[in-house]
Amino acid sequence: MQLDTAILIGLLFGVGIYLIQQRSFARILFGFLILSNAANLFVLSMSGRPDGKRSPIVDQYTQPSVDPLPQALILTAIVIGFGVAAYVVFLLYRLFLEQKSANAHDLFNQVEEEEGTE
Amino acid sequence: MNWIILPFLLPLVTGLACLAAGVRTPIRRGLGVVSAAAQLAIAIYWVARCSGGAIYTLNIGAWTAPLGIVVVIDLLAALMLLLSAITGLAAISYGIFETEPGKEHPLRIPLLQFLVAGINLSFTTGDLFNLFVAFEIMLIASYGLMTLEASGRSIKHAYPYLAINFVGSALFLCGAGLAYRLFGTLNFADIAMRAKQMPDDPLVYLLALLFLIVTATKAGIFPLYYWLPKSYPIMPAPVAALYSGMLTKVGVYVMLRLFCTVFPHDLTSLHTTIAWLAGATMIFGVLGAISRSTIRGILSFHILSQIGFMVLAIGFFTDLAITACILYIVHHIVVKASLFLVGGTARHLNGTDKLDDMGGLWKVTPVLGIVFLLQAMSLAGIPPLSGFWGKYLIVVTGMELQQYWLVAASIIASILTLFSMLKIWLSAFWAPEPREGVRTHVRGWKAMTGVPAAMAITSLVIGLGVPLFFGLAQTAAKSAKDQEAYARAVFSFEGKGERIVP
């Protein structure tokens, strides 16, 4: 049982989701970053309790090592998350440039009209 | 040269080559069209090869399953590859007729190719984590493509799409981690075999539920569809056609693959949940469509109600229902993409796609009118057009299972679909010409009409040649549901350390 890790992951998910629902772009961005790291931590915790195990580097097999696969998975996920985060920064910045506002509430509460003309 | 990896590799390499071509539009377009045509040929080759129900696998880097990444093509995947090749070719050629060479964004064709590469990889992968990577390739390309040519005011509608998919990806990653913890493997076939040995484990239910949410986000199932009708109308017509045809269907395909090939078949309470969510999706989608007043808005909401039909079939989960689902996907992708292209052409001719300001198109271009009418009637499910057969089979299955409320919902959705298609027909084609007249001087509109016309012929062929396509769908459904055959195909690959099927 990894209660401490589980609580930390739950906390991170909660904080991430809370921040995504905020109005300021900066908070939304941090929300996304925390959320993707919470997911990464969740996958990492799937390799089981690391107590008394050595890191998975091939040398002498004297003591059992932790499962290396979740680490390999989150390595990929971190890189992908980094790429997507870069895109989020770009999109939020472009929204800021177009709308002259860094407030999601202002952005989506404008009077909506369907755009039909070119 | 291994042909299994080609549907993924070819668009990827084409995309890179297009990037290298830089701003030289003719080279980029030439590469795009040639590659799309080659993808179509490869896809036809695979459908022909798999049509008997055979399954082909490739262990990447000769690492055998379950440790290595395995790429699998069965008939279902081959059919999806064929559809993605058709839509990709249509989107690229329509884009060439629509946009002047100087005005096309130099990144449009490369991003389209990367998007197709991601889509094709998610069809052919046999590994949960590789599926995650395929989704991310697809999503990152789609984020870029969506905002590439969007105008300043509408770009904000890309944000909900980005946000929901970001959360969806995080959940997918958690699901992959949980699956690894539960089964000690990420290979589809291996998970399927191991899940059988742990019946009634609540964690298997939890995992399936997690992936239901992930695929529902991708497919736009109630209540996770808010992003779709907002974000699709901001794209240019050919890109919107590709998105409407393929992207949501990737969600449906993965749901089909996971619930048929990977998860145990006795998750009945989840199947019931899926069916009722599908019913809600149908009704909300079609009601949303009625409230819209632009062609793109109406068509975007109709994607939802059609997704409802496919997912309803997955929820019923009989052999006939899965066959109906595949037949419906085949019909829907061709019809939906071509309707978006018809809408794009109509918008060019009228200078707007607000239904109130449109009109006079029937007099100017009866061909476009006939194409629209054929596809719209097919979408509503008028026999003998292609949309009828899938709907008919789904309704029959619903009656057999005595799910009368869901059958009623699907029939109501069909009638309301007919209603909003007639709304487009009456305002855009039948109404008198608007004061400014129809803009017949628009560049290349006749050639633009040719693309949806060719797709209309394709869907006519599907509708009239339904015995052939029904047979294909039946074989695809059978081989998708046969977990033992799938595992045998994945594990019997000749390579070092051959593994016996557990």
Side-chain angles (χ1 to χ4, degrees):
Chain A
M1 198 56 198
Q2 296 159 273
L3 194 61
D4 42 357
T5 323
I7 291 171
L8 179 61
I9 293 166
L11 204 66
L12 282 178
F13 264 111
V15 169
I17 287 166
Y18 174 77
L19 283 177
I20 286 177
Q21 294 171 355
Q22 297 296 297
R23 294 177 179 186
S24 138
F25 281 178
R27 288 185 179 199
I28 291 174
L29 177 63
F30 284 121
F32 281 131
L33 293 176
I34 290 177
L35 199 66
S36 79
N37 281 312
N40 287 339
L41 191 60
F42 179 81
V43 177
L44 184 64
S45 72
M46 287 300 148
S47 54
R49 233 191 142 73
D51 293 357
K53 291 179 185 166
R54 57 174 189 85
S55 52
I57 299 167
V58 180
D59 47 8
Q60 268 84 45
Y61 292 101
T62 44
Q63 66 190 114
S65 71
V66 289
D67 189 348
L69 197 96
Q71 302 188 6
L73 297 186
I74 64 165
L75 204 57
T76 315
I78 287 170
V79 175
I80 291 171
F82 184 70
V84 179
Y87 181 81
V88 177
V89 173
F90 152 78
L91 182 70
L92 291 178
Y93 183 61
R94 191 164 160 198
L95 282 175
F96 169 69
L97 288 184
E98 302 277 1
Q99 315 277 344
K100 302 276 174 282
S101 156
N103 188 317
H105 187 257
D106 294 349
L107 198 61
F108 284 94
N109 272 22
Q110 290 163 357
V111 182
E112 298 254 340
E113 53 177 283
E114 282 189 77
E115 289 178 51
T117 45
E118 300 198 356
Chain B
M1 170 73 76
N2 201 305
W3 291 80
I4 298 181
I5 194 72
L6 222 48
F8 164 64
L9 218 50
L10 187 60
L12 193 68
V13 171
T14 315
L16 290 174
C18 288
L19 278 184
V23 289
R24 280 162 292 186
T25 315
I27 301 180
R28 233 175 31 234
R29 289 182 163 181
L31 276 172
V33 171
V34 170
S35 158
Q39 285 164 35
L40 187 60
I42 294 169
I44 291 173
Y45 163 77
W46 274 115
V47 171
R49 235 181 125 179
C50 296
S51 56
I55 301 173
Y56 296 90
T57 60
L58 168 72
N59 291 339
I60 297 197
W63 287 87
T64 46
L67 288 177
I69 292 170
V70 58
V71 181
V72 187
I73 293 188
D74 62 353
L75 187 55
L76 178 57
L79 281 174
M80 298 306 290
L81 289 176
L82 178 63
L83 292 165
S84 97
I86 290 176
T87 345
L89 184 61
I92 289 177
S93 44
Y94 187 90
I96 289 174
F97 298 134
E98 185 190 36
T99 330
E100 283 169 46
K103 286 188 180 166
E104 188 186 82
H105 198 290
L107 287 177
R108 188 203 274 191
I109 291 181
L111 279 176
L112 262 175
Q113 295 288 348
F114 291 140
L115 182 64
V116 171
I119 292 172
N120 285 355
L121 184 62
S122 47
F123 291 152
T124 50
T125 183
D127 179 286
L128 207 50
F129 196 75
N130 201 25
L131 182 64
F132 171 74
V133 175
F135 266 9
E136 292 304 313
I137 295 174
M138 182 179 93
L139 284 175
I140 292 176
S142 76
Y143 298 151
L145 203 53
M146 182 174 273
T147 46
L148 196 62
E149 290 161 284
S151 65
R153 285 185 59 238
S154 59
I155 201 164
K156 66 177 180 187
H157 293 309
Y159 174 72
Y161 176 74
L162 172 71
I164 196 147
N165 279 306
F166 199 103
V167 177
S169 297
L171 287 179
F172 194 141
L173 195 58
C174 293
L178 190 62
Y180 180 69
R181 182 68 170 171
L182 268 180
F183 306 113
T185 175
L186 289 164
N187 184 287
F188 282 171
D190 214 16
I191 292 178
M193 292 302 114
R194 282 167 203 247
K196 272 201 183 123
Q197 293 157 10
M198 36 204 293
D200 300 326
D201 190 328
L203 283 173
V204 178
Y205 257 91
L206 184 69
L207 186 70
L209 186 64
L210 200 55
F211 277 102
L212 174 61
I213 296 171
V214 170
T215 49
T217 316
K218 295 278 180 295
I221 295 168
F222 175 84
L224 300 166
Y225 64 77
Y226 166 81
W227 55 273
L228 192 150
K230 292 257 182 226
S231 59
Y232 280 22
I234 71 174
M235 291 179 280
V239 181
L242 182 67
Y243 277 53
S244 69
M246 293 317 296
L247 280 198
T248 45
K249 257 55 75 186
V250 174
V252 177
Y253 167 84
V254 171
M255 188 186 272
L256 203 57
R257 174 65 75 204
L258 290 178
F259 279 92
C260 289
T261 314
V262 182
F263 295 137
H265 287 173
D266 54 2
L267 305 170
T268 24
S269 58
L270 266 186
H271 294 156
T272 318
T273 316
I274 293 175
W276 282 99
L277 287 179
T281 314
M282 269 192 277
I283 296 298
F284 280 94
V286 88
L287 290 180
I290 287 176
S291 73
R292 297 282 107 176
S293 60
T294 66
I295 292 185
R296 283 173 297 172
I298 292 175
L299 290 179
S300 300
F301 265 104
H302 270 300
I303 298 174
L304 298 174
S305 71
Q306 312 295 322
I307 289 284
F309 274 98
M310 301 167 204
V311 175
L312 180 62
I314 299 179
F316 285 159
F317 211 71
T318 62
D319 288 350
L320 188 64
I322 302 296
T323 309
C325 176
I326 295 169
L327 199 59
Y328 202 82
I329 292 176
V330 171
H331 137 80
H332 172 85
I333 291 178
V334 176
V335 167
K336 196 83 229 181
S338 67
L339 276 175
F340 263 88
L341 296 180
V342 170
T345 314
R347 178 163 167 247
H348 279 298
L349 287 173
N350 272 156
T352 173
D353 75 344
K354 265 194 188 133
L355 288 175
D356 293 342
D357 304 336
M358 297 181 79
L361 292 180
W362 176 253
K363 265 191 203 146
V364 177
T365 165
V367 178
L368 191 68
I370 291 169
V371 170
F372 174 78
L373 209 56
L374 270 177
Q375 301 298 65
M377 293 302 115
S378 178
L379 196 70
I382 306 287
L385 298 168
S386 57
F388 167 71
W389 304 105
K391 280 189 182 177
Y392 173 70
L393 290 175
I394 293 168
V395 167
V396 166
T397 318
M399 295 296 241
E400 274 174 6
L401 298 174
Q402 301 182 327
Q403 297 285 352
Y404 299 117
W405 285 108
L406 290 169
V407 170
S410 67
I411 289 171
I412 290 170
S414 294
I415 293 169
L416 292 178
T417 306
L418 191 61
F419 170 77
S420 52
M421 288 298 132
L422 285 177
K423 193 164 105 182
I424 298 181
W425 168 256
L426 289 176
S427 335
F429 291 90
W430 215 236
E433 227 169 278
R435 203 173 299 149
E436 313 88 75
V438 175
R439 302 179 178 185
T440 40
H441 57 273
V442 175
R443 176 184 174 275
W445 66 270
K446 282 184 180 156
M448 281 196 266
T449 315
V451 179
M455 294 174 89
I457 293 170
T458 314
S459 86
L460 259 186
V461 169
I462 298 173
L464 299 177
V466 82
L468 169 70
F469 288 93
F470 179 77
L472 279 177
Q474 208 171 19
T475 319
K478 216 176 122 199
S479 77
K481 271 185 117 180
D482 192 350
Q483 300 186 336
E484 268 83 19
Y486 189 87
R488 234 177 290 127
V490 168
F491 287 116
S492 69
F493 190 86
E494 299 285 324
K496 46 182 178 181
E498 193 172 316
R499 206 187 124 112
I500 300 155
V501 185

